[in-house]
Every structure is written in structure tokens, then in C-alpha cells.
Amino acid sequence: MRQVHVVVSGRVQGVGFRSFTQQVAVENNIIGWVKNLNDGSVEIKAQGEDNKVDAFLLQVKKGPSFFAKVKNIEITEEEVETAFQKFEIKY
């Protein structure tokens, strides 16, 4: 089991990025959350099997559509928490 903290910057708000992230997480059996930050970036906390986290991160780096543009992605490995039940969008 692996957990990462991710901050994605670029054109990632108002383009369906959180919904896309949730969909990709569900497809890869990832639990955690995604939320918008005040500075225009998106924060993600994701947990799952090693290879599933890698697949999830590859898709997040691409983004959801033509309208989204990921400029930078910061990934920090973290200690695994046990608080997550599913992957949700935080508001």
C-alpha cells in the first residue's frame, strides 16, 4: 500500500479536473480525495497499490480534456493513513 500527496497546477480549475480525478481513482481502485485550492491549483491525497498509484498519477499528469492544462505536478510520498473509505471530491 502506498500513499501520495499531490499538488497539480496549471489550468486545472473549472475544467472538470476534480471529476476526472475521481473517475480515474475509481478505475484504479484508489481511495482518498481531491479538492481545489485558493491559488488555482488542485490538491490530491491518494492511496492504493503501488502499480495502481503509478497508473493513476500518469493519467492525472495528462489531465481530463483539451481545456485542462497541467503545468506542474508535485508528488510527495507519505505514511499510509487508514482514514479513507473511498475517493471523494472535497468542497
Side-chain angles (χ1 to χ4, degrees):
M1 195 62 101
R2 177 176 168 204
Q3 180 171 313
V4 292
H5 176 255
V6 183
V7 177
V8 185
S9 56
R11 191 183 324 136
V12 292
Q13 289 190 14
V15 291
F17 197 89
R18 288 176 301 163
S19 295
F20 165 80
T21 301
Q22 184 181 44
Q23 178 184 339
V24 171
V26 169
E27 290 169 3
N28 287 287
N29 294 320
I30 299 294
I31 54 176
W33 49 261
V34 60
K35 70 177 181 180
N36 284 342
L37 295 177
N38 291 336
D39 66 0
S41 62
V42 170
E43 181 180 20
I44 303 166
K45 187 87 71 155
Q47 185 183 101
E49 295 177 24
D50 254 351
N51 61 333
K52 297 287 190 178
V53 171
D54 288 338
F56 169 76
L57 291 172
L58 275 175
Q59 290 179 281
V60 167
K61 287 176 186 177
K62 291 179 186 174
S65 68
F66 174 76
F67 298 107
K69 180 152 182 68
V70 175
K71 284 188 180 175
N72 190 42
I73 182 166
E74 297 173 27
I75 303 166
T76 308
E77 299 287 334
E78 293 187 333
E79 291 293 319
V80 175
E81 299 173 19
T82 56
F84 308 123
Q85 299 297 317
K86 59 182 180 174
F87 196 92
E88 59 189 345
I89 297 173
K90 287 187 169 186
Y91 295 96

